[in-house]
Amino acid sequence: MNLKLITQQVCDLAKEVGSFVRSEVDMVRREDIETKGLHDYVTYVDKTSEKRLVKGLTKILPEAGFIVEEGTTKIKGQRYNWVVDPLDGTTNFLHHLPVFSISIALMDNNKVILGVVFEINTRECFFAWKGGKAYLNDTQIEVSSTKSLNDSLIATGFPYADFSSLDNYLEVLRSFMKSTRGIRRFGSAAVDLAYVACGRFDAFFEYGLHPWDVAAGAFILQQANGIVTGFNGSNNFISNKEIVASNGYLHNIILSHVKKYL
Ligand code: IPD
Ligand code: CA
Ligand code: CA
């Protein structure tokens, strides 16, 4: 299997479907918005994007199945499965805020072997494949070299539906507010992870995420020499709904702040 070639094909597909998503920003009407859960929305744009991605990915690797956010296909692969978020940052999209993306990973059994995060408005394509490095468009990327928490800029996602750990989460925020340059909440976990991979952020943490939010971005970050774990330091961050991602140098200190409360 030529993973480099497949990754290039996936980038081209993400760019093509991303153009469709971008062209719909001004088209979506209030009545197009469906509520999936508390503060969780979807429109025909998410669903159409997913259908187009599923069609394109099936052409690229016919034997692969899918784990997709909007449930437009139930096909499961014996060995290979695509993990797809057709629009990561739907709330931003609905509010005409520019940060939203397409996130696609390929899993070989339970290991990710390629990842693509396409940031739709900046037209930045972040990608990596097993055995290769990590890239942003034509340029190889690496995590930051920040070694002191005091010099770091970190990203997170605020809880919006699962408030079971809200007080503890706020304690973590309080400790990072005092000990870092700042905290950002951009609204697309895939972009947050890609930004740690290219050194814009030094670290990221969030709870309540799904495999399609993190599989691609976390893999790209690992290929860019970053570290990703669960809150307890384990490798199980794809399905465990909690993630700490960093440039590596800061991992232990970030984990210790997170673990103290969460
Ligand atoms: C959301 C974004 C957001 C994160 C949420 C996700 P969606 O994905 O990644 O940054 O905070 O937890 O659900 O719903 O826009 O695909
Ligand atoms: Ca998402
Ligand atoms: Ca989504």
Side-chain angles (χ1 to χ4, degrees):
M1 178 181 278
N2 185 340
L3 278 180
K4 182 179 178 186
L5 178 67
I6 293 179
T7 307
Q8 278 162 357
Q9 291 170 327
V10 176
C11 288
D12 290 344
L13 176 66
K15 288 175 193 173
E16 187 192 312
V17 179
S19 301
F20 157 73
V21 173
R22 202 184 306 120
S23 72
E24 293 298 318
V25 169
D26 294 323
M27 304 296 184
V28 174
R29 300 156 307 162
R30 192 170 281 273
E31 51 272 32
D32 294 322
I33 304 172
E34 295 165 48
T35 303
K36 292 197 289 185
L38 182 62
H39 307 143
D40 190 9
Y41 307 102
V42 66
T43 72
Y44 69 90
V45 180
D46 306 62
K47 291 179 191 172
T48 307
S49 170
E50 188 171 289
K51 283 184 193 155
R52 292 188 183 189
L53 291 169
V54 166
K55 195 171 169 202
L57 293 168
T58 302
K59 270 193 201 145
I60 293 171
L61 194 65
E63 67 264 42
F66 292 90
I67 298 164
V68 289
E69 179 173 14
E70 307 307 342
T72 64
T73 174
K74 297 264 177 287
I75 295 173
K76 291 282 169 278
Q78 283 209 322
R79 177 170 175 185
Y80 297 110
N81 281 287
W82 296 104
V83 186
V84 179
D85 191 333
L87 177 46
D88 187 49
T90 294
T91 302
N92 283 350
F93 174 83
L94 293 175
H95 287 260
H96 293 210
L97 288 170
V99 184
F100 44 86
S101 63
I102 286 172
S103 174
I104 303 168
L106 178 61
M107 298 196 78
D108 178 351
N109 290 310
N110 57 0
K111 291 256 181 291
V112 178
I113 54 171
L114 74 81
V116 171
V117 173
F118 180 58
E119 196 184 342
I120 292 171
N121 281 302
T122 57
R123 293 164 171 77
E124 288 186 319
C125 192
F126 298 85
F127 59 94
W129 64 90
K130 190 179 163 193
K133 305 286 185 191
Y135 298 86
L136 161 50
N137 294 338
D138 298 329
T139 309
Q140 195 189 318
I141 52 172
E142 271 212 22
V143 290
S144 71
S145 56
T146 307
K147 294 183 183 71
S148 150
L149 196 56
N150 207 35
D151 296 330
S152 72
L153 183 64
I154 67 174
T156 187
F158 301 146
Y160 59 92
D162 174 2
F163 301 119
S164 55
S165 302
L166 182 59
D167 289 343
N168 295 339
Y169 176 82
L170 291 173
E171 285 306 318
V172 179
L173 279 193
R174 178 197 289 275
S175 70
F176 282 139
M177 275 177 196
K178 291 181 180 167
S179 57
T180 65
R181 283 189 181 171
I183 306 169
R184 299 289 182 268
R185 196 298 189 240
F186 273 16
S188 165
V191 169
D192 292 326
L193 287 161
Y195 280 16
V196 181
C198 70
R200 292 175 186 166
F201 291 139
D202 301 296
F204 165 70
F205 76 101
E206 183 165 351
Y207 76 84
L209 293 172
H210 297 279
W212 45 78
D213 299 310
V214 298
F219 178 75
I220 295 166
L221 173 58
Q222 288 171 325
Q223 300 303 102
N225 292 329
I227 300 278
V228 192
T229 65
F231 288 175
N232 60 3
S234 76
N235 285 334
N236 187 7
F237 54 85
I238 291 192
S239 54
N240 223 18
K241 296 198 157 197
E242 45 177 58
I243 190 164
V244 174
S246 78
N247 67 359
Y249 303 109
L250 293 171
H251 207 79
N252 285 340
I253 182 91
I254 297 274
L255 260 189
S256 70
H257 280 246
V258 171
K259 270 202 306 208
K260 190 164 171 196
Y261 302 103
L262 281 168

